[in-house]
Amino acid sequence: MIKFFYIFFLYPFAYIILQALQVFMGKKNKQLVTYKNNNFFEVRNQSSQWISLKRPFWIHAASGEVEYARPIIRELKNTYPEIPIIVTFSSPSAKKIIMGIADIEAWGILPWDFEESCLSFLEKWQPRCCLIARTDVWPVMASCCHKKQIPSLLFSATFATNSSRLKGLSAKVTRWALNNLSEIHCVSTEDAIQLEQLKLQVPVHVHGDSRFDQVFYRLQHPKCIKKELRPSQNDKILVAGSTWPEDEKVLLPAYSNMKNNCKLILAPHEIHESHMKLLENQLKILDLSFCKYSAATSWTTENVLIIDQIGILAELYTWGTFAFVGGSFRKQVHSVMEPLAAGLPVLVGPYHHNNREALLFKEKSVNGQRVVTEVIDEEGLAAQLAIFLKKLAPSFSKSLVYELEQHLRSSHSVLEWCTRKIDE
């Protein structure tokens, strides 16, 4: 019944609504509909016919899930350099990230979840297997893969206790979609337990989170940043990453009380002109001196280094002593994994329940220091900074990195699965 309802009523209704409202949509959603309507795909160097003849690995990453797919792409290309890789996405925001990955032969939008569209996609590309990052399993596409005997794997899968996918009608759709997969690799035992309520017939295993592999790879292969701005080893540095105005309203007054004891690297999530002007006005009101990364040739006397360049935050965390992750006083926190992998204790605001690692490491301590600490207001943030300045053990960083290294090699389990399927 659920299959009939989804195929003939639920999805067609959503499709019609999206088409009808396209002219009223924002840029991102309008682009999504246009891409799907036009079967957007880009091919690098070789032709699509050449790729299909080689039977590519197909990876699907909805949006930010591309970061979970990166280490898988590297593993596959290192092991099977002769087999092309294609990547699909569900959100246009993933396009720019995917275009920057050299090991991909083609990329484009996942087709509409109609049987005709899905079968046409599979016929065109002839993938040897389908690897889905994190969560984005579409039931008709999964069903078509099963029908065409294309092995499919959901990796780094996570299912929160309050997930809507496991409740009511959504649970029935989820069960149908997941049962069409060949195998599921969950992040943790808790995720696998959550899936038990669906009574799946597909094998479920626990193999960890491939994002850890990506974060550590990035730290081992850093981008070039301005060494002349690097603080001295004696300086205490708070790195505030991906901040929004709501975060800065709390963070900056709290930091101003500590300005004589530590410096601040401030990396806003958005660096457009209006936000930068707002930020500079706040700093002047709080009597905080600052310089901008793009223009500075040294960082010695100023309290704050404003990062007005994107894409270098991971490297900047390695300059830090402790970190604050933005979005957590706004709506939802950004990833805490990069500062943790750099060995920093992390502060987050009250809106962090969207982030699995924030919740996981909020329950953990290293050398007597909590790894992720929630602060709910300016006073709490200032108090926690004071505690870090007084009590943070020098051995904390190495101990934390060792703890995170135990989560590595999830991507290798995906490679082993692909190898088994090739051998079969």
Side-chain angles (χ1 to χ4, degrees):
M1 282 295 294
I2 191 63
K3 180 178 178 180
F4 180 87
F5 178 70
Y6 178 89
I7 291 175
F8 293 103
F9 292 98
L10 184 61
Y11 195 80
F13 178 74
Y15 171 82
I16 291 169
I17 292 297
L18 287 171
Q19 299 296 334
L21 298 180
Q22 188 176 357
V23 293
F24 304 106
M25 291 177 178
K27 181 180 178 181
K28 182 178 174 181
N29 289 330
K30 186 181 292 185
Q31 192 175 44
L32 169 64
V33 175
T34 302
Y35 277 0
K36 282 184 174 287
N37 287 345
N38 297 326
N39 295 315
F40 168 81
F41 235 88
E42 292 189 8
V43 178
R44 176 185 285 153
N45 298 326
Q46 302 293 345
S47 68
S48 57
Q49 290 83 359
W50 179 88
I51 293 172
S52 64
L53 284 172
K54 290 283 188 177
R55 300 209 59 213
F57 292 115
W58 167 32
I59 298 175
H60 175 64
S63 183
E65 288 81 1
V66 173
E67 295 302 317
Y68 297 86
R70 278 181 182 269
I72 312 301
I73 293 168
R74 278 196 302 273
E75 292 275 9
L76 290 173
K77 191 56 73 173
N78 288 337
T79 308
Y80 301 105
E82 75 284 0
I83 300 177
I85 297 172
I86 66 172
V87 176
T88 54
F89 54 85
S90 293
S91 170
S93 60
K95 178 185 172 184
K96 186 175 181 180
I97 304 171
I98 293 171
M99 288 173 64
I101 303 176
D103 290 330
I104 297 171
E105 276 70 27
W107 61 90
I109 197 74
L110 190 73
W112 293 109
D113 205 36
F114 294 117
E115 186 170 21
E116 182 180 356
S117 303
C118 294
L119 288 175
S120 176
F121 174 89
L122 297 177
E123 285 290 337
K124 176 179 180 179
W125 294 106
Q126 294 292 315
R128 65 181 64 226
C129 64
C130 173
L131 307 173
I132 305 170
R134 205 67 167 169
T135 60
D136 203 39
V137 182
W138 289 86
V140 173
M141 179 59 87
S143 178
C144 288
C145 286
H146 181 76
K147 188 180 298 183
K148 299 277 288 183
Q149 297 185 321
I150 298 170
S152 53
L153 170 69
L154 178 65
F155 67 90
S156 295
T158 184
F159 299 87
T161 54
N162 60 348
S163 173
S164 60
R165 291 177 293 156
L166 303 180
K167 297 176 182 177
L169 179 63
S170 293
K172 298 182 187 299
V173 175
T174 301
R175 182 187 299 117
W176 168 39
L178 297 185
N179 267 332
N180 278 296
L181 300 176
S182 305
E183 194 165 308
I184 298 172
H185 289 183
C186 287
V187 168
S188 69
T189 302
E190 291 75 17
D191 292 310
I193 291 171
Q194 285 299 313
L195 280 184
E196 288 179 0
Q197 60 188 285
L198 295 180
K199 297 181 171 54
L200 297 177
Q201 298 171 349
V202 58
V204 177
H205 304 287
V206 176
H207 282 298
D209 191 333
S210 61
R211 180 75 192 277
F212 282 99
D213 294 339
Q214 174 58 22
V215 169
F216 275 92
Y217 179 88
R218 172 75 183 274
L219 289 174
Q220 292 160 5
H221 301 80
K223 293 180 181 179
C224 183
I225 57 176
K226 298 171 78 169
K227 294 179 181 178
E228 63 270 27
L229 302 185
R230 190 182 186 109
S232 75
Q233 291 185 341
N234 296 324
D235 288 329
K236 302 292 184 184
I237 308 295
L238 168 62
V239 183
S242 296
T243 60
W244 294 83
E246 294 89 341
D247 302 306
E248 293 146 11
K249 185 178 178 181
V250 177
L251 171 71
L252 295 179
Y255 166 73
S256 67
N257 297 320
M258 310 288 163
K259 66 180 182 180
N260 295 326
N261 300 309
C262 70
K263 291 185 170 186
L264 171 63
I265 294 176
L266 184 61
H269 185 74
E270 295 184 341
I271 58 172
H272 53 72
E273 186 178 357
S274 61
H275 185 196
M276 298 304 281
K277 283 184 177 179
L278 175 66
L279 201 52
E280 291 175 25
N281 288 336
Q282 284 181 274
L283 293 171
K284 289 173 183 176
I285 290 170
L286 291 167
D287 195 28
L288 293 170
S289 58
F290 62 89
C291 59
K292 291 184 178 181
Y293 179 89
S294 62
T297 55
S298 65
W299 182 34
T300 52
T301 60
E302 297 87 357
N303 304 124
V304 182
L305 175 63
I306 301 176
I307 309 303
D308 53 351
Q309 178 178 322
I310 61 171
I312 58 172
L313 181 55
E315 286 74 19
L316 292 168
Y317 279 128
T318 66
W319 290 5
T321 313
F322 26 81
F324 170 84
V325 178
S328 54
F329 277 99
R330 181 177 183 262
K331 186 178 181 182
Q332 55 185 26
V333 72
H334 294 283
S335 175
V336 302
M337 204 178 283
E338 288 180 340
L340 292 179
L344 310 187
V346 173
L347 299 175
V348 294
Y351 301 108
H352 62 272
H353 293 270
N354 63 293
N355 187 275
R356 178 187 183 84
E357 291 73 37
L359 295 174
L360 174 64
F361 285 95
K362 197 167 75 165
E363 304 300 321
K364 293 182 180 291
S365 295
V366 171
N367 296 351
Q369 169 63 56
R370 194 167 293 279
V371 176
V372 173
T373 303
E374 177 185 3
V375 291
I376 60 173
D377 53 26
E378 176 189 326
E379 291 75 19
L381 204 161
Q384 191 58 50
L385 285 176
I387 291 172
F388 283 162
L389 287 167
K390 280 186 179 181
K391 298 183 177 180
L392 188 62
S395 60
F396 176 88
S397 182
K398 285 186 178 180
S399 299
L400 176 57
V401 170
Y402 176 80
E403 169 77 20
L404 265 72
E405 285 175 342
Q406 310 315 303
H407 296 267
L408 294 176
R409 291 184 62 78
S410 171
S411 56
H412 192 71
S413 67
V414 178
L415 176 65
E416 290 178 339
W417 180 87
C418 290
T419 299
R420 289 200 310 271
K421 295 305 173 184
I422 289 175
D423 292 342
E424 290 174 1

